[in-house]
Amino acid sequence: MITPLFAAALALSASCNLEHPSGQAGCTRAAVDALKMNQLQAMGTHNSYKIAIAPLEMANLRARNPKAADTLDYSHLPLTEQLNDGARELELDFVYDPQGGRYSTPLGRKMAPNTTPYDLTSMSKPGMKVIHVPDIDYRSVCPLLVDCFKEVRAWSKAHPDHVPILIIFNLKQDQLKVPGAVPLLPFDAKAMDAVDAEIRSVFKPGELITPDQVQGKHKTLREAVQAGAWPTLKQARGKIMLAMDESPDVVAVYRGARKSLEGRAMFVNTDEASPAAGYITLNEPIKENSRIQAAVKSGLIVRTRADADTWEARKNDTAPREAAFASGAQYVSTDYMRPDTRFSSYEARLPGGGVARPNPVTAKP
């Protein structure tokens, strides 16, 4: 049964700011809080941890591979500043380093001995290290994964009314084909358990939106999301959702013999028919627009990208950005919440402003 309050929520203005309802006609806190968390749309950042490659190291890279240098020529502010600026989706990539010290002497740094200083002392500690491209693009606003978590948790505690923050992860294990590059360790079952252990060492019960919570008494996670089992915004405020954005073979290791994701901390990027389907990454908002809309309508939470590899910023091409917003993907990521004036005035912000808005596909009467 659709209650009057839920009907009012579905009729919210597209410009209604879900994090700070403005009091405009129909845009009330009660109506906003009645929406399910998959009925929002928010902005986020891609490779949110990434600091720019140092000039001397970038010059070396550009001399060897100009195209790769172009795609890596971007950076982000500290996570706290991104969250303050309205990012409600973050991306953290990490490598497995159970002993510590594996990534303490990057090859790119050795090749540019007079490079810009960067503190690598934390790399000696055991645990997951947040890195984009080991040896080449290794500078991070928070080198230790647990430190990234602590920063996000501290911000969340200071802003308890925030809409749910999605953090997605790439697990780096593909070897860089460069002589002298450090060998990467695979994410086997033991490593996957270590990832969940690091997550739960920082986030306490009740601070995360987990697959088990959404699945509830349903037979599978997919069945639950199709039945609309996502929490309401009222229930999801101040909480974090985590998702592994990986290939099927890596996802299979994380799932193990589970029917869905029982006991796991993260959702996984998987196809719409999987019993573990709750989240999916579809990064091509023009090419995959119809698939994104179908996934959103079926109950999944989708992340897409407004831009990639600096190309949209260099050309000031807004077509992918507009397609991403129209697709209904709940989280749209960008490298340009603020313009990089070296390239153009391109930036990606929600239409109408605000931090989160009613989803253009699912939050309709």
Side-chain angles (χ1 to χ4, degrees):
M1 180 179 70
I2 297 179
T3 66
L5 181 58
F6 191 62
L10 291 177
L12 285 170
S13 165
S15 62
C16 182
N17 185 348
L18 302 187
E19 195 154 291
H20 303 290
S22 64
Q24 68 191 65
C27 187
T28 64
R29 180 61 179 262
V32 164
D33 278 352
L35 287 174
K36 295 295 183 78
M37 63 171 281
N38 64 319
Q39 292 178 308
L40 62 74
Q41 186 173 68
M43 288 298 306
T45 54
H46 160 254
N47 290 342
S48 313
Y49 55 89
K50 183 173 149 38
I51 296 177
I53 299 174
L56 289 178
E57 295 173 59
M58 175 60 85
N60 284 341
L61 175 61
R62 193 170 293 283
R64 291 164 172 77
N65 191 333
K67 184 176 180 180
D70 280 350
T71 65
L72 296 175
D73 193 8
Y74 64 95
S75 65
H76 289 294
L77 297 170
L79 300 183
T80 297
E81 294 184 44
Q82 294 178 54
L83 292 165
N84 285 339
D85 199 26
R88 294 297 178 266
E89 176 259 331
L90 301 171
E91 181 176 7
L92 302 174
D93 301 345
F94 55 87
V95 292
Y96 185 39
D97 187 16
Q99 303 303 318
R102 179 171 287 269
Y103 304 95
S104 295
T105 55
L107 181 61
R109 191 175 187 82
K110 295 176 186 176
M111 295 171 66
N114 296 319
T115 189
T116 308
Y118 175 69
D119 186 1
L120 286 159
T121 55
S122 61
M123 291 296 183
S124 64
K125 298 179 180 179
M128 310 297 165
K129 306 302 190 305
V130 178
I131 297 174
H132 187 217
V133 183
D135 280 308
I136 303 297
D137 192 8
Y138 57 86
R139 296 172 186 245
S140 171
V141 299
C142 45
L144 300 181
L145 183 61
V146 291
D147 286 348
C148 300
F149 290 155
K150 289 174 183 177
E151 185 173 352
V152 173
R153 183 176 185 268
W155 186 92
S156 176
K157 289 298 181 184
H159 302 81
D161 281 346
H162 69 76
V163 297
I165 295 169
L166 170 67
I167 307 178
I168 65 173
F169 307 97
N170 294 153
L171 283 55
K172 300 289 187 174
Q173 53 187 330
D174 293 335
Q175 185 61 41
L176 185 66
K177 295 179 175 61
V178 176
V182 64
L184 272 62
L185 298 179
F187 280 88
D188 55 15
K190 182 179 179 181
M192 294 299 188
D193 288 343
V195 176
D196 271 12
E198 290 203 5
I199 291 169
R200 292 194 165 110
S201 74
V202 176
F203 294 108
K204 309 308 177 190
E207 296 175 355
L208 296 176
I209 296 163
T210 65
D212 283 343
Q213 291 169 2
V214 176
Q215 183 173 333
K217 296 182 180 180
H218 293 274
K219 293 180 180 178
T220 66
L221 180 59
R222 177 173 178 262
E223 181 182 300
V225 300
Q226 287 181 320
W230 291 105
T232 64
L233 279 185
K234 183 177 182 179
Q235 296 166 327
R237 287 189 185 278
K239 296 186 179 181
I240 316 294
M241 173 180 166
L242 310 173
M244 178 191 294
D245 178 14
E246 272 299 342
S247 57
D249 57 324
V250 179
V251 167
V253 177
Y254 186 67
R255 285 182 66 191
R258 296 167 179 80
K259 188 171 185 179
S260 293
L261 288 163
E262 292 80 7
R264 284 304 197 187
M266 294 184 281
F267 292 79
V268 294
N269 175 36
T270 188
D271 70 88
E272 298 90 329
S274 169
Y279 167 84
I280 190 169
T281 298
L282 296 170
N283 280 333
E284 300 291 339
I286 295 177
K287 186 186 303 182
E288 298 179 299
N289 200 275
S290 60
R291 185 179 176 190
I292 294 172
Q293 292 199 39
V296 168
K297 289 176 181 177
S298 73
L300 272 66
I301 284 180
V302 181
R303 179 264 203 171
T304 195
R305 292 184 65 178
D307 44 75
D309 299 328
T310 77
W311 302 133
E312 286 76 13
R314 292 177 188 275
K315 298 179 292 183
N316 200 13
D317 179 4
T318 61
R321 181 190 71 190
E322 301 313 310
F325 292 144
S327 72
Q330 288 90 348
Y331 294 93
V332 178
S333 80
T334 181
D335 290 318
Y336 303 99
M337 289 192 70
R338 300 288 175 177
D340 185 336
T341 55
R342 297 176 304 158
F343 301 148
S344 72
S345 60
Y346 175 87
E347 66 179 335
R349 291 276 178 174
L350 278 182
V355 171
R357 67 172 184 165
N359 191 288
V361 171
T362 58
K364 291 181 177 179

